Amino acid sequence: SMKHVLRLVARPARPARFSSSLPAPPAPSSSPAHASLPAPVDGMPRYANASVPGLLRLADWTGTGLFAFTGAITAATSGMDLLGTVVVGTITAVGGGTARDVIVLNRMPFWIEEWEYIVIGVAGALAAFFTWPTLKKMGADDNADVMLMADGVALGAFAVIGTQNGIRAKLPLGLTVIGAMITSTFGGLTRDVLCQRPPRILHAHADIYASTALGGSAAYLAARQLGLPVPARIIAGVSTTAAMRMYAWTNGVRLPTWQGSDIIKN
């Protein structure tokens, strides 16, 4: 009947069982504005590979283990037991990224999803606790050139990753650079506080450290402003940080203080 036909026509279509969360692609256009490729994403793959962003992930993993190793040495030489050494070593490794996520980006710490960073941190701290006394007797030095070079590259990787996180979160440039500095240095800052030592990034008893991370972040942002591809940005940020770190260590570069001034109370 005519009434039955009208009821069938008016019936709404059933929704699809599964639908993509991505918006539908825009209609093709011959306009040059639509023909251009999308801007590259400032980030790195989930796992390491042979690309420059993939090597950044590898440097991040390596730096996490190195920071855990050196942080554990500081904790153990301060008199902490095995548990304290592992806790401080792991905090040294992931504390900077945790502070960035919680304080600056207002989100859960990255290691909730990327749990391998906790594993790397714990493994690095355990390795330091059980092997460093023997390595020390064999002549190992945690201030050796190779350790400092590795530290510079790791610091640069952390600065670049912190910068990328700020860019993806659409932070202002100033906050992006600050987030990069926090990523690179707040693990060591927390280590020093827990070990009751003067935080090295806030005192002039050692060469500059946090300033090199700021320089690497600025280099990454400058390369991005120039329109360079992501691999070139990564190389600019990491190499700038590492070069500044090595120059500061070699030449004893420090920020100015009031030492020797009558203003400081003895």
Side-chain angles (χ1 to χ4, degrees), residues 37 57-58 61 66 71 82 89-91 94 111 117 127 142 150 159 174 180 182 196 215 262:
L37 295 176
R57 176 70 74 177
L58 179 61
W61 287 346
L66 176 65
L82 174 60
T90 305
I91 288 175
V94 302
W111 44 263
Y117 284 89
D142 56 345
I182 290 174
Q196 299 181 350
D262 295 335

Side-chain angles (χ1 to χ4, degrees), residues 68-87:
F69 192 92
T70 57
I73 292 174
T74 301
T77 54
S78 298
M80 292 191 180
D81 61 11
L82 174 60
L83 176 61
T85 298
V86 172
V87 169

Side-chain angles (χ1 to χ4, degrees), residues 181-193:
M181 186 269 291
I182 290 174
T183 304
S184 304
T185 63
F186 268 44
L189 173 67
T190 308
R191 171 205 63 208
D192 291 340
V193 171

Side-chain angles (χ1 to χ4, degrees), residues 11 19 25 38-39 50 53 56 66 79 81 88 91-92 113 122 127 143 212 224 237-238 247:
R11 181 178 298 169
S19 62
L56 177 64
L66 176 65
D81 61 11
V88 171
I91 288 175
T92 306
E113 178 180 352
V122 171
N143 286 320
T212 65
R224 184 174 187 268
V238 174
Y247 180 84

Side-chain angles (χ1 to χ4, degrees), residues 26-38:
S29 171
S30 59
S31 170
H34 289 85
S36 60
L37 295 176

